[in-house]
Amino acid sequence: MKLHLFDQLNHSQRSALAAVSVILFPYFFPNLFQPLGRASPSMFSEWNAPRPMHVDLLEGALQRQTPVELQTSLWSPLEFQGWKRCIEPPKSPSLPQKSRGYIQVFLDGGLNQQKMGICDAVAVAKILNVTLVVPHFEVNPVWQDSSSFADIFDVDHFIDVLRDDISIVKELPSDYSWSTRQYYATGIRATRIKTAPVQATADWYIENVLPVLQSYGIAAIAPFSHRLTFNNLPSDIQRLRCKVNFEALTFVPHVKELGETIIHRLRQTPSINQAKGNDYMMEGTVEFIKQQIGKYIVLHLRFDKDMAAHSACDFGGGKAEKLALAKYRQVIWQGRVLKAQFTDEELRNQGRCPLTPEEIGLLLAALGFNNKTRLYLASHKVYGGEARIASLSKLFPLMEDKRSLVSAEELAKVNGKASLLAAVDYYVSMHSDIFISASPGNMHNALVGHRAYMNLKTIRPNMGLLGQLFQNKSIGWPEFQSAVLDGHRNRQGQIRLRKEKQSIYTYPAPDCMCKA
């Protein structure tokens, strides 16, 4: 009888075949080694579900009693701080009689990085006295989102608001129709500017881009992200950047309509039945209900695998998670993550670890948010799935997100498009009573600046303090809450003046705000 081939292999051959299979298995079945989305941890590389890291604090938070006075202070809007919006130049702007040519920019990154690029492009067009072509968005390599400017922003509104500041066209005239993204991708072109330094000055553009415009009538700048300084620019240029950011860039109607639907449903008073199924009693007094009725807080929770790995911190997922994140760092950044040289304790003492969903929940509870709080979760995918957000859900049973508030049909126009989904979250965040982010980043910075400009309450977590508190395993709930309240008294939307090199989009005062 002819033996099966595998039966003819000796022991060493079988061992070698098994080893090869282990090595190749992840390549043929990659999804088994990656988180499958918000609701599912991965099956192998992080198969140990994360457990609560702060059990005693969690128990204390679940039994919390929030004084009415704290609730009153917490939900009260910010008082006027003596600053008003101030984006129009001292004298009426006037367009030059003749443009010096056309400028194109190609923008990468996510929604908020693109927004900053648009603002900078308008400023550069003003500096050079040229016509701006509506910016081109690159396909996002992370989310594979091909959304264009017109898919996200209202182009007509953008052009109309800036009509007295610069000239803007949707498309190039036929004489320049050859100047496309594909044209610049296929060779070295005299009209492409590739050397713009990060934080370039106005003089750099005049010395390096203007000659190209004078020779060819057009210049294309790529890359362009973060290519204009925040320092030593004329006040009218700085105010123009803010005018673009806060006034000219509005979302397309269907994004605003979906945002309004979500806001309306968040502001509806939930029934107590929505909180059933929890293993603790709901706080319930007339005073509490009066303070919170029709109000909601937005939590921007960016806790994806990319951030978790790059932080080099320990998030309680055990040895399997540590190994998986180390492997991810090696594959994505070839081990070049500077934070990895520090211990978890050192990183937390420096406030350099993003807050986990559990930790941001404990912070919110300590600040005085009770379990009747309407909490909107603005996030994409949470690394670790439902197990990672279990403690947060337990603390705030009325937590919602896009998918829990609207139907699949209502989401159809934005589903699968990261930039449009982020735009919806941005819109809902800008209309919230309170906003808080679990970690710094582009969305955090953009909303901190925009809400400061509008004088809206925004809580900035004291990362250094929280890192130390969460490392103290003997701290009790009363002591923890007292330290949190003391450490956040002046971190709830108070105006902070921009310092040198800081972003005007995060710190709009004093460049774009005037003392009243």
Side-chain angles (χ1 to χ4, degrees):
M1 187 188 333
K2 187 176 179 179
L3 295 175
H4 189 278
L5 177 62
F6 189 81
D7 295 329
Q8 297 175 1
L9 296 175
N10 59 33
H11 177 74
S12 61
Q13 289 174 313
R14 289 198 299 270
S15 299
L17 183 59
V20 170
S21 299
V22 169
I23 293 171
L24 294 179
F25 196 65
Y27 293 93
F28 290 109
F29 302 96
N31 289 335
L32 299 180
F33 292 82
Q34 300 171 0
L36 303 179
R38 175 179 163 183
S40 303
S42 61
M43 295 176 65
F44 291 108
S45 58
E46 298 109 321
W47 66 318
N48 291 340
R51 298 177 181 178
M53 298 177 67
H54 312 286
V55 177
D56 291 340
L57 288 178
L58 183 59
E59 187 62 32
L62 289 172
Q63 298 175 11
R64 67 194 184 277
Q65 296 293 322
T66 309
V68 175
E69 297 78 12
L70 182 56
Q71 282 281 302
T72 301
S73 172
L74 192 61
W75 286 105
S76 297
L78 284 177
E79 295 182 357
F80 178 63
Q81 300 184 62
W83 291 87
K84 65 179 182 178
R85 287 169 267 172
C86 196
I87 57 173
E88 295 299 336
K91 58 182 180 179
S92 298
S94 60
L95 282 173
Q97 290 185 349
K98 186 177 180 181
S99 168
R100 288 171 166 167
Y102 296 92
I103 190 169
Q104 293 174 287
V105 295
F106 303 102
L107 302 176
D108 53 19
L111 173 71
N112 294 291
Q113 190 171 327
Q114 289 169 340
K115 281 187 69 180
M116 291 186 285
I118 296 164
C119 300
D120 290 348
V122 170
V124 169
K126 183 71 172 180
I127 291 168
L128 296 175
N129 181 21
V130 295
T131 298
L132 175 67
V133 183
V134 169
H136 172 87
F137 290 177
E138 304 279 26
V139 175
N140 190 301
V142 177
W143 309 119
Q144 291 299 307
D145 188 345
S146 59
S147 298
S148 68
F149 186 108
D151 291 330
I152 303 170
F153 301 107
D154 186 329
V155 180
D156 292 330
H157 178 83
F158 175 70
I159 295 173
D160 184 59
V161 170
L162 300 172
R163 67 184 181 278
D164 294 328
D165 299 289
I166 67 166
S167 175
I168 304 172
V169 295
K170 296 179 182 179
E171 296 179 351
L172 285 166
S174 57
D175 289 351
Y176 295 101
S177 60
W178 49 266
S179 184
T180 64
R181 187 68 186 89
Q182 292 72 25
Y183 172 73
Y184 294 109
T186 56
I188 298 173
R189 310 298 185 184
T191 52
R192 180 179 175 183
I193 309 296
K194 297 176 64 176
T195 57
V198 173
Q199 304 298 319
T201 64
D203 287 342
W204 187 93
Y205 283 97
I206 292 170
E207 293 167 6
N208 293 273
V209 181
L210 189 55
V212 176
L213 287 161
Q214 291 169 336
S215 297
Y216 300 98
I218 189 168
I221 309 175
F224 188 70
S225 295
H226 309 292
R227 291 316 198 266
L228 182 63
T229 183
F230 292 112
N231 303 316
N232 303 316
L233 288 176
S235 61
D236 63 319
I237 297 297
Q238 296 288 61
R239 290 185 177 185
L240 179 58
R241 293 166 100 176
C242 289
K243 183 177 181 178
V244 180
N245 194 34
F246 302 133
E247 306 291 344
L249 287 175
T250 60
F251 297 122
V252 291
H254 66 263
V255 166
K256 292 193 287 187
E257 289 167 10
L258 181 57
E260 287 294 340
T261 298
I262 291 172
I263 292 166
H264 174 72
R265 291 171 188 173
L266 282 167
R267 294 203 183 282
Q268 289 179 327
T269 305
S271 69
I272 197 165
N273 291 331
Q274 288 180 262
K276 284 184 177 179
N278 294 283
D279 57 359
Y280 62 99
M281 293 296 293
M282 295 280 290
E283 300 168 17
T285 65
V286 174
E287 290 80 5
F288 279 130
I289 294 172
K290 285 181 179 179
Q291 291 300 326
Q292 295 179 222
I293 190 167
K295 298 179 181 180
Y296 71 95
I297 177 174
V298 169
L299 165 59
H300 176 240
L301 182 63
R302 186 189 168 189
F303 199 81
D304 52 41
K305 187 171 185 176
D306 193 77
M307 170 172 277
H310 199 269
S311 73
C313 300
D314 178 14
F315 299 109
K319 185 177 180 180
E321 182 174 273
K322 288 181 182 179
L323 290 173
L325 293 179
K327 177 184 174 183
Y328 188 85
R329 278 194 294 274
Q330 184 61 41
V331 171
I332 302 299
W333 300 290
Q334 291 74 51
R336 296 191 300 270
V337 177
L338 294 179
K339 289 183 180 180
Q341 63 186 301
F342 297 101
T343 66
D344 181 72
E345 181 179 359
E346 290 171 331
L347 291 170
R348 291 190 179 279
N349 282 332
Q350 297 167 19
R352 298 172 71 184
C353 290
L355 297 176
T356 66
E358 176 191 7
E359 289 169 343
I360 195 72
L362 290 170
L363 168 61
L364 290 170
L367 287 171
F369 293 99
N370 64 19
N371 52 19
K372 283 185 177 290
T373 300
R374 296 285 273 175
L375 178 67
Y376 178 79
L377 192 62
S379 68
H380 184 63
K381 292 182 180 179
V382 176
Y383 175 61
E386 291 295 341
R388 183 77 71 187
I389 64 171
S391 296
L392 179 63
S393 300
K394 202 170 185 180
L395 288 166
F396 297 99
L398 302 184
M399 184 171 70
E400 307 277 8
D401 63 10
K402 290 182 288 292
R403 288 170 176 79
S404 67
L405 286 166
V406 296
S407 67
E409 290 75 18
E410 290 170 311
L411 274 175
K413 288 185 178 180
V414 301
N415 209 18
K417 300 174 182 177
S419 292
L420 287 172
L421 291 168
V424 173
D425 281 341
Y426 191 103
Y427 188 88
V428 175
S429 297
M430 276 306 300
H431 289 77
S432 66
D433 299 278
I434 304 171
F435 174 81
I436 187 170
S437 180
S439 59
N442 287 333
M443 180 75 120
H444 165 91
N445 293 338
L447 282 161
V448 164
H450 202 161
R451 290 177 66 88
Y453 182 75
M454 302 295 293
N455 197 44
L456 300 173
K457 183 170 284 189
T458 305
I459 299 173
R460 296 180 299 111
N462 188 331
M463 303 297 283
L465 170 67
L466 292 167
Q468 295 174 32
L469 291 177
F470 285 128
Q471 284 201 102
N472 183 354
K473 299 304 180 184
S474 64
I475 194 170
W477 177 254
E479 183 184 354
F480 174 81
Q481 183 171 32
S482 177
V484 165
L485 289 171
D486 287 342
H488 289 82
R489 293 193 191 282
N490 296 314
R491 303 178 68 89
Q492 300 191 27
Q494 290 80 3
I495 290 289
R496 295 176 295 158
L497 301 185
R498 188 179 72 86
K499 299 176 182 178
E500 188 175 2
K501 296 184 179 180
Q502 287 184 328
S503 170
I504 197 172
Y505 308 122
T506 307
Y507 305 93
D511 302 85
C512 304
M513 302 181 76
C514 308
K515 272 286 189 180

